[in-house]
Amino acid sequence: GAGVSQSPSNKVTEKGKDVELRCDPISGHTALYWYRQSLGQGLEFLIYFQGNSAPDKSGLPSDRFSAERTGGSVSTLTIQRTQQEDSAVYLCASSPGTGGGYTFGSGTRLTVV
Amino acid sequence: QKEVEQDPGPLSVPEGAIVSLNCTYSNSAFQYFMWYRQYSRKGPELLMYTYSSGNKEDGRFTAQVDKSSKYISLFIRDSQPSDSATYLCAMSLNSNSGYALNFGKGTSLLVTP
């Protein structure tokens, strides 16, 4: 597609439920990143995928968070047993794999009630 | 100390003014320096990126990097109300996390007609 597509755009869930957030990167982009943006914290790196290689998970805040990328394309971020502090905007970005900046999606706004 | 520091503002200027936005950083290993613009409820949009010290100009926007002082700037000439947004500086280096970005917290800019 023309840009990075994320779904859903908004998600309200009850505390303790699991959620799945989807990212469809720009076609041909080998690198994919997930970030979290919350009030007062700014944008925080979560996880990095390069092609079909094992991801770098060093930014994931707890073992309740996991992500996968199928076929080197679409990625899913899963949060298990959601907590109120997980409320944030989750942003996905993709790039050709070089250092010149990358393209973000519009994000999924997650609210845990 | 956070690796990237940015004054959150808000910054309010009249239409037509020159805007100066700045960030400082502590990690001398950063290689790429970027400015993103973010409108409310949208993902960050890449405005400028530079590699190494110096100036880069694109239309009304000029990015400056001073690696010796660990200081980057974005100048906006002839500012317009449509420039009202949050401006995020970001920087990266090649690591196990690819080119994961370290963001400032963003400066909120309001350009008044």
Side-chain angles (χ1 to χ4, degrees), chain B residues 13-54:
Chain B
V13 300
E15 182 175 358
I18 296 174
V19 176
S20 172
L21 304 167
N22 312 291
C23 289
T24 59
Y25 62 95
S26 57
N27 188 347
S28 59
F30 285 137
Q31 298 169 297
Y32 289 89
F33 304 88
M34 279 141 278
W35 286 94
Y36 283 84
R37 177 174 63 194
Q38 187 173 27
Y39 293 112
S40 181
R41 295 189 172 262
K42 298 290 187 182
E45 170 196 7
L46 181 64
L47 280 177
M48 307 275 288
Y49 81 88
T50 54
Y51 177 75
S52 78
S53 286

Side-chain angles (χ1 to χ4, degrees), chain B residues 70-91:
Chain B
K70 300 192 186 71
Y71 188 87
I72 70 170
S73 300
L74 178 71
F75 298 95
I76 307 174
R77 291 182 297 282
D78 187 25
S79 56
Q80 303 295 308
S82 58
D83 295 328
S84 300
T86 297
Y87 289 80
L88 299 152
C89 64
M91 40 204 81

Side-chain angles (χ1 to χ4, degrees), chain A residues 1 4 24 27 31 35-36 59 68 72 90 93:
Chain A
V4 178
D24 201 341
S27 179
Y35 287 81
R36 178 170 70 176
E68 62 178 20
Y90 290 82

Side-chain angles (χ1 to χ4, degrees), chain A residues 4-49:
Chain A
V4 178
S5 178
Q6 291 190 247
S7 60
S9 54
N10 286 283
K11 177 72 176 178
V12 179
T13 190
E14 292 181 351
K15 179 180 171 181
K17 300 281 190 183
D18 298 352
V19 295
E20 283 190 354
L21 313 178
R22 177 188 168 102
C23 172
D24 201 341
I26 292 172
S27 179
H29 278 192
T30 58
L32 187 149
Y33 300 81
W34 284 96
Y35 287 81
R36 178 170 70 176
Q37 186 173 31
S38 48
L39 282 174
Q41 294 297 319
L43 275 133
E44 303 171 275
F45 164 74
L46 296 177
I47 189 168
Y48 160 66
F49 293 90

Side-chain angles (χ1 to χ4, degrees), chain A residues 26-109:
Chain A
I26 292 172
S27 179
H29 278 192
T30 58
L32 187 149
Y33 300 81
W34 284 96
Y35 287 81
R36 178 170 70 176
Q37 186 173 31
S38 48
L39 282 174
Q41 294 297 319
L43 275 133
E44 303 171 275
F45 164 74
L46 296 177
I47 189 168
Y48 160 66
F49 293 90
Q50 175 58 45
N52 293 316
S53 302
D56 173 53
K57 307 177 184 179
S58 60
L60 294 178
S62 79
D63 58 8
R64 295 185 296 104
F65 287 72
S66 62
E68 62 178 20
R69 188 179 186 190
T70 53
S73 180
V74 172
S75 178
T76 303
L77 178 69
T78 301
I79 309 173
Q80 295 178 309
R81 305 181 303 281
T82 51
Q83 304 295 311
Q84 287 185 326
E85 62 263 27
D86 299 333
S87 296
V89 177
Y90 290 82
L91 290 156
C92 175
S94 71
S95 88
T98 58
Y102 28 82
T103 304
F104 281 87
S106 292
T108 294
R109 183 173 298 272

